[in-house]
């Protein structure tokens, strides 16, 4: 029986994870590894700053098990600096107050598919809209609550 040929994206994801993550992370679910890969590629595509050398940046900005969101971070002054919900909030606010001329909010939702229906697309933007509008999340979504609080603290000042 012939061995099934992997698509080039699968090969690149596998190579990226194997070269940059420890054995424990390599055993994680394929969808999580795909998210880390996409998150990293997004940041590296947009930036030429020192965090490009952070091979685990895609994991650092990941939202883990949050439903409806895979990664979130803010970039200051076109990637002069980035902060995630895991960053120290006081340091983040201080940096924003002193240095921010331009803040971009990055909310990443990855889907490994060739097409998406309109209802599926609307579902993808539902969580970022709820966060931006300040709508409540139930207690089963502590990561999304933390992200909403992070955004609120930054935008309040």
């Amino acid at each position: 029986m012939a061995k099934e040929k992997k698509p080039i994206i699968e090969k690149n994801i596998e190579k990226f994870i194997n070269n940059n993550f420890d054995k424990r992370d390599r055993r994680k679910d394929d969808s999580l590894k795909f998210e880390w890969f996409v998150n990293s590629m997004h940041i590296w595509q947009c930036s030429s700053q020192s965090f490009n050398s952070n091979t685990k940046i895609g994991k650092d900005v990941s939202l883990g098990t949050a439903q409806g969101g895979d990664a979130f971070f803010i970039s200051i002054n076109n990637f002069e600096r980035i902060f995630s919900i895991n960053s120290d909030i006081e340091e983040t606010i201080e940096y924003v107050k002193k240095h921010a001329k331009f803040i971009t909010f990055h909310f990443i939702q990855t889907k490994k598919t060739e097409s998406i229906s309109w209802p599926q697309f609307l579902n993808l933007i539902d969580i970022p809209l709820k966060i931006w509008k300040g709508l409540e999340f139930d207690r089963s979504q502590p990561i999304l609550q933390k992200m909403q609080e992070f955004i609120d603290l930054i935008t309040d000042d």
Side-chain angles (χ1 to χ4, degrees):
M1 186 184 254
K3 187 176 179 181
E4 186 178 325
K5 190 173 179 177
K6 286 185 180 182
I8 194 160
I9 187 78
E10 296 293 330
K11 291 177 186 176
N12 286 328
I13 294 168
E14 189 175 292
K15 184 177 178 181
F16 173 77
I17 297 296
N18 288 339
N19 288 337
N20 297 297
F21 289 83
D22 58 31
K23 287 182 181 182
R24 186 175 37 132
D25 286 335
R26 286 185 227 140
R27 289 192 293 261
K28 299 285 184 181
D29 183 75
D30 285 344
S31 63
L32 187 58
K33 292 186 278 189
F34 176 71
E35 290 173 17
W36 295 344
F37 176 77
V38 170
N39 299 344
S40 295
M41 295 304 110
H42 172 74
I43 292 171
W44 292 342
Q45 173 66 31
C46 297
S47 170
S48 61
Q49 301 300 319
S50 62
F51 43 79
N52 280 354
S53 63
N54 179 355
T55 58
K56 294 186 179 186
I57 192 71
K59 182 179 177 184
D60 294 346
V61 300
S62 174
L63 295 176
T65 60
Q67 293 178 350
D70 295 325
F72 170 78
F73 63 96
I74 63 169
S75 61
I76 309 297
N77 304 334
N78 293 319
F79 282 86
E80 173 181 286
R81 184 116 185 241
I82 67 170
F83 295 96
S84 73
I85 61 169
N86 297 319
S87 300
D88 178 87
I89 190 63
E90 297 303 321
E91 177 188 345
T92 304
I93 291 171
E94 190 65 30
Y95 192 89
V96 166
K97 284 180 179 178
K98 286 184 178 178
H99 305 286
K101 296 176 189 124
F102 188 76
I103 301 172
T104 305
F105 295 85
H106 300 260
F107 190 92
I108 301 173
Q109 173 70 348
T110 60
K111 289 294 175 209
K112 197 171 172 184
T113 183
E114 292 182 18
S115 65
I116 187 167
S117 69
W118 183 245
Q120 289 171 318
F121 173 76
L122 292 175
N123 190 45
L124 290 176
I125 62 172
D126 186 48
I127 296 298
L129 285 174
K130 281 183 178 178
I131 289 169
W132 201 254
K133 289 179 177 180
L135 301 176
E136 294 284 326
F137 288 99
D138 68 38
R139 299 272 182 229
S140 68
Q141 292 295 320
I143 296 169
L144 296 178
Q145 286 178 325
K146 184 177 179 180
M147 182 185 356
Q148 190 171 42
E149 290 167 9
F150 184 84
I151 291 170
D152 288 347
L153 287 169
I154 292 168
T155 57
D156 282 349
D157 286 334

